[in-house]
Amino acid sequence: MAAKQNSGFRVICNSVLRKNLVNLKKYIAELKKRHVFKAGLAYLIGAWVLTEVSALVLDTFAVPPYVMKTILIVLVIGFPIWLIFSWVYDLTPEGIKKTHKSDPDTLKSPVINHRLNRTIIGLLSIAVVLLVVNQLRISTNNSENKAGNRTPDEIATAEKPIELIAVLPFFNSKSDPETDYLGFAMADQIIGGLVYLQNMVVRPSASIRQYEHQRIDPKTVGEELQVDYILIGNYLKEDNVIRLNVELIHVHSNEIIWRKPLQVDFQSAFELQDIVAKEVIAGMNVQFTQKELSRIRKNIPHDPLAYEYFLRSISYTYTNEGDQLAIKMLEKSIELDSTYAPAYYHLGDRLHRNAIYGSPNSEEALRSENALLKALSLNSEHMGALGNLAMRYTETDRIMEAVELTKQILEINPNSAEAHFSLGYIYRYTGMNDEAIHEMEKAIALDSKNRVFRTIIITYLFAGEYEKAIEAGRLFEESAFIFEIQGLALFKLGKNTEAVEYFNRVIKLDPDTGEATVSSSTKAFIEGNPEEALSYAIQFEQFQIADAEAWYFKSFLYGMQGDKEGCIRCLRKAVDSGFFNYPLMSTDSYLDPAREDPEFQKVLQKAKEKHLAFKERFF
């Protein structure tokens, strides 16, 4: 009985299925008879053609984007309406008539079929033409983008390979403490002018200071600095005249490209920057634009004594004592001449260094920022001031402003190593660690001897590449900062004995600095003195460092000691002040003692939100 019921059910199902298939075939046949498929295809091709034509026309006349959006919306809405229309109506020689299914004579005729075919073929032909035109337009735009809408001499400039040059401190032919400062100061000023040339990378002043007051072998020094050309010379100041003998030497061939004697009144010493820059450009056959050359000439001092104070300030070394002496000289210079942008830039730079590495306090950090802003008000394209201010903004939760300043530098000189490093610095603060390493390594590839670039070792440390942090530190001159980060990298690797050795070097070199305090705290922790370690952490928190990243190090020290409250307090300050390296914060095991605390999670969530917002905007 059940078998009969199942058999009957299958018969009914098969019958219904066959009936549905028959109906579907009839429906499809009806669609074909009414040419709905062809009408739909014609509509889609026509809509695409209309879209392409609209894009070309609207782009030409700079019509607002919402017009194009409106056209697209209308075309999308019109498609189903067109399909219904083609089903219900027929376009005949007598006009539009309603099609009746029951009347075969009223079905669309072969004439209509031919019309649709011709329409489709015509639209396809237009589509092919538009595709060709659009491809040519894209190709043209790509060519224009490569040229960057530049003038012919700028385009020619881009085709010239980048040359590397070092301007060494000039040797005083008649050594005198009253005039020895000129050797380094004049070289620094020439370097400051050459940085505006896109097809030349000039080693920074910090890289060439080690050759001050020395007679050198150009080929040896050129190989040490990894450059193609060396500019060397000697000078003599007698009465109110500076006599300068300059040589441009090609390192690889050891050939003297040119040798020239120059003479200027001491009151016009600033003219040497422009004179020597022109000779270097000609001797190296570097192509340049008039705009680049005009940037070199922008900074002209108006008081000879003020300029002398300025040159003396430049000659002081980058040490805590040197920074203090330089600040005093620059303040004297500005008192006499308040219109010279480089004086404000160097004052801002020295104050910033003193606020970070010397006796940290927020007042000097603010003075530094104001000096840099003043420099830019006098010369909006001063690359040193732009870069230094970008760094300052990065450290104080003004990331977007920092990015804009860095972009401005790259517009002035796309091959600026400082600008690429500045981008890397910004990326480190925002948690884009891989991108930070990429930009910083690009900067070092352009200028491997720039002392400022040594902070790449922090980037390696934060990215968990501890061996690289240690190795990269060896590329730069030994300092308390280098030893501190190398020690922390060794500590992270579990090499505590070696880490303590590095921390001892820091404490011996600069016992009263932030680096020494961090080193002392970590060393005490390793040696099993938690109370001493915590006291140093508390001491480090008292340092008034206007740098968000420093607060992360403070949080790290408290977390290492298991002080949840201190760890969370300092981490919150770091995030609120602009350091939101979320990947680092979410994986640093030394923050684990506070990690489960709800307040810690709130801070971490805020860092994550800021990190993702930055990533979404710029990547």
Side-chain angles (χ1 to χ4, degrees):
M1 184 71 179
K4 288 183 179 180
Q5 287 179 345
N6 289 337
S7 176
F9 179 74
R10 282 197 298 272
V11 169
I12 293 170
C13 287
N14 289 335
S15 175
V16 171
L17 182 60
R18 280 196 299 272
K19 186 176 180 181
N20 287 337
L21 286 173
V22 170
N23 289 337
L24 179 61
K25 288 179 180 179
K26 287 181 179 180
Y27 179 67
I28 293 173
E30 190 71 20
L31 288 172
K32 288 180 179 179
K33 287 179 182 179
R34 296 169 182 263
H35 306 304
V36 174
F37 290 124
K38 288 186 177 181
L41 179 61
Y43 183 93
L44 290 175
I45 297 172
W48 184 86
V49 169
L50 178 61
T51 302
E52 286 296 305
V53 172
S54 299
L56 286 169
V57 174
L58 297 179
D59 186 52
T60 302
F61 292 98
V63 176
Y66 69 82
V67 176
M68 189 65 198
K69 291 179 182 178
T70 303
I71 293 172
L72 290 173
I73 292 170
V74 170
L75 289 173
V76 170
I77 295 172
F79 183 61
I81 297 173
W82 172 255
L83 293 179
I84 294 170
F85 180 87
S86 64
W87 170 272
V88 177
Y89 293 98
D90 185 13
L91 187 61
T92 70
E94 292 79 23
I96 297 175
K97 290 187 176 182
K98 190 172 183 179
T99 303
H100 298 284
K101 181 181 176 182
S102 59
D103 185 2
D105 294 333
T106 63
L107 291 175
K108 296 184 178 180
S109 67
V111 175
I112 302 303
N113 187 32
H114 294 322
R115 286 180 180 174
L116 281 172
N117 287 341
R118 287 197 298 271
T119 301
I120 291 171
I121 292 170
L123 288 172
L124 281 173
S125 300
I126 296 171
V128 170
V129 172
L130 284 172
L131 279 171
V132 172
V133 171
N134 195 42
Q135 190 61 38
L136 288 172
R137 186 167 66 97
I138 292 171
S139 177
T140 303
N141 286 341
N142 287 340
S143 299
E144 289 176 354
N145 287 337
K146 288 178 182 177
N149 294 322
R150 292 169 291 178
T151 58
D153 63 337
E154 287 175 318
I155 295 170
T157 299
E159 296 170 356
K160 180 76 176 175
I162 296 175
E163 304 282 10
L164 304 174
I165 183 173
V167 181
L168 298 188
F170 299 112
F171 188 81
N172 193 351
S173 299
K174 188 177 179 180
S175 184
D176 180 352
E178 284 300 309
T179 58
D180 283 346
Y181 71 92
L182 286 169
F184 180 82
M186 288 190 295
D188 176 85
Q189 288 298 281
I190 293 167
I191 291 168
L194 295 178
V195 296
Y196 290 100
L197 301 177
Q198 294 185 22
N199 286 321
M200 178 188 296
V201 172
V202 57
R203 293 291 181 245
S205 302
S207 301
I208 56 97
R209 187 183 286 276
Q210 59 185 307
Y211 303 106
E212 193 175 7
H213 309 309
Q214 295 182 31
R215 291 195 180 275
I216 54 92
D217 173 44
K219 188 170 180 63
T220 302
V221 172
E223 290 171 353
E224 288 175 359
L225 294 175
Q226 299 173 14
V227 293
D228 304 307
Y229 294 88
I230 289 281
L231 186 74
I232 61 172
N234 59 74
Y235 69 96
L236 179 64
K237 181 179 182 293
E238 289 184 329
D239 298 326
N240 198 37
V241 175
I242 297 178
R243 294 184 176 88
L244 183 65
N245 294 302
V246 190
E247 292 180 354
L248 180 66
I249 300 172
H250 187 256
V251 173
H252 309 300
S253 64
N254 206 25
E255 176 189 359
I256 297 176
I257 305 300
W258 56 257
R259 177 188 288 132
K260 289 204 174 182
L262 302 170
Q263 180 175 311
V264 295
D265 292 338
F266 181 71
Q267 293 183 348
S268 304
F270 67 89
E271 293 179 0
L272 285 171
Q273 181 187 38
D274 188 36
I275 295 169
V276 175
K278 285 181 180 178
E279 295 291 347
V280 168
I281 291 168
M284 292 174 60
N285 194 27
V286 173
Q287 296 185 14
F288 62 92
T289 66
Q290 288 302 316
K291 192 170 185 179
E292 288 174 306
L293 202 58
S294 68
R295 288 177 177 135
I296 298 175
R297 300 169 179 160
K298 269 193 173 182
N299 302 306
I300 299 175
H302 295 96
D303 186 286
L305 182 56
Y307 190 60
E308 181 179 343
Y309 284 138
F310 169 74
L311 292 176
R312 287 182 182 276
S313 75
I314 293 173
S315 68
Y316 291 119
T317 57
Y318 281 111
T319 61
N320 292 339
E321 183 183 0
D323 290 338
Q324 293 294 337
L325 292 170
I327 289 169
K328 290 179 181 178
M329 282 291 171
L330 288 164
E331 288 173 340
K332 287 183 179 181
S333 176
I334 289 170
E335 281 180 15
L336 296 171
D337 182 359
S338 60
T339 64
Y340 191 50
Y344 286 100
Y345 156 62
H346 280 277
L347 178 61
D349 179 45
R350 295 284 188 163
L351 287 169
H352 181 257
R353 283 181 47 79
N354 200 50
I356 298 295
Y357 305 115
S359 303
N361 66 80
S362 55
E363 184 180 340
E364 290 219 335
L366 182 60
R367 286 182 62 205
S368 166
E369 183 175 330
N370 289 336
L372 294 170
L373 288 170
K374 179 64 176 179
L376 290 174
S377 72
L378 295 168
N379 179 1
S380 61
E381 294 183 318
H382 193 290
M383 288 178 60
L386 287 168
N388 209 301
L389 191 60
M391 188 177 295
R392 164 76 180 156
Y393 283 166
T394 303
E395 295 167 353
T396 52
D397 199 24
R398 287 171 285 181
I399 298 295
M400 304 310 174
E401 292 93 329
V403 173
E404 292 304 319
L405 288 174
T406 306
K407 286 182 178 179
Q408 192 175 337
I409 299 173
L410 288 171
E411 286 175 6
I412 296 170
N413 186 352
N415 295 318
S416 168
E418 287 80 2
H420 286 293
F421 194 84
S422 183
L423 264 185
Y425 194 72
I426 293 167
Y427 292 159
R428 184 172 84 212
Y429 272 62
T430 58
M432 309 302 296
N433 294 321
D434 291 340
E435 291 78 3
I437 289 173
H438 174 74
E439 288 294 335
M440 288 184 170
E441 287 181 345
K442 184 186 292 185
I444 290 174
L446 286 166
D447 186 358
S448 60
K449 300 299 180 180
N450 194 321
R451 184 176 183 273
V452 175
F453 297 171
R454 63 184 184 160
T455 64
I456 191 175
I457 64 177
I458 295 181
T459 310
Y460 285 135
L461 181 74
F462 287 171
E465 299 189 24
Y466 306 126
E467 295 288 357
K468 277 191 176 182
I470 297 165
E471 189 63 31
R474 299 190 181 110
L475 299 175
F476 301 93
E477 183 183 353
E478 292 184 349
S479 67
F481 166 77
I482 294 289
F483 291 147
E484 175 204 13
I485 304 303
Q486 287 176 319
L488 289 173
L490 288 164
F491 174 58
K492 292 275 190 176
L493 287 169
K495 299 180 179 181
N496 291 343
T497 303
E498 293 177 63
V500 168
E501 291 177 5
Y502 276 84
F503 293 143
N504 284 334
R505 292 186 193 180
V506 177
I507 296 164
K508 184 178 180 180
L509 274 175
D510 282 314
D512 300 322
T513 60
E515 289 95 339
T517 309
V518 172
S519 298
S520 297
S521 180
T522 314
K523 176 190 172 186
F525 175 80
I526 292 171
E527 294 176 341
N529 300 315
E531 292 183 2
E532 183 182 349
L534 184 59
S535 69
Y536 278 117
I538 294 170
Q539 182 181 333
F540 186 51
E541 187 180 359
Q542 303 309 312
F543 278 65
Q544 298 180 34
I545 305 175
D547 178 1
E549 190 173 66
W551 284 97
Y552 178 79
F553 281 103
K554 295 174 183 181
S555 176
F556 158 79
L557 291 180
Y558 278 122
M560 185 171 62
Q561 314 304 328
D563 187 329
K564 292 184 182 180
E565 185 180 336
C567 177
I568 295 169
R569 179 177 64 252
C570 293
L571 190 66
R572 181 183 292 111
K573 181 69 174 178
V575 175
D576 290 344
S577 299
F579 182 82
F580 43 91
N581 192 322
Y582 172 72
L584 169 66
M585 296 173 181
S586 60
T587 57
D588 190 341
S589 61
Y590 289 97
L591 303 183
D592 286 351
R595 193 170 298 280
E596 299 304 319
D597 191 291
E599 290 301 313
F600 182 95
Q601 288 299 317
K602 286 181 183 178
V603 175
L604 191 63
Q605 180 62 28
K606 186 173 183 179
K608 181 180 181 180
E609 290 170 359
K610 295 178 80 169
H611 165 71
L612 292 177
F614 180 87
K615 185 176 181 180
E616 183 178 353
R617 176 165 177 178
F618 293 105
F619 292 90

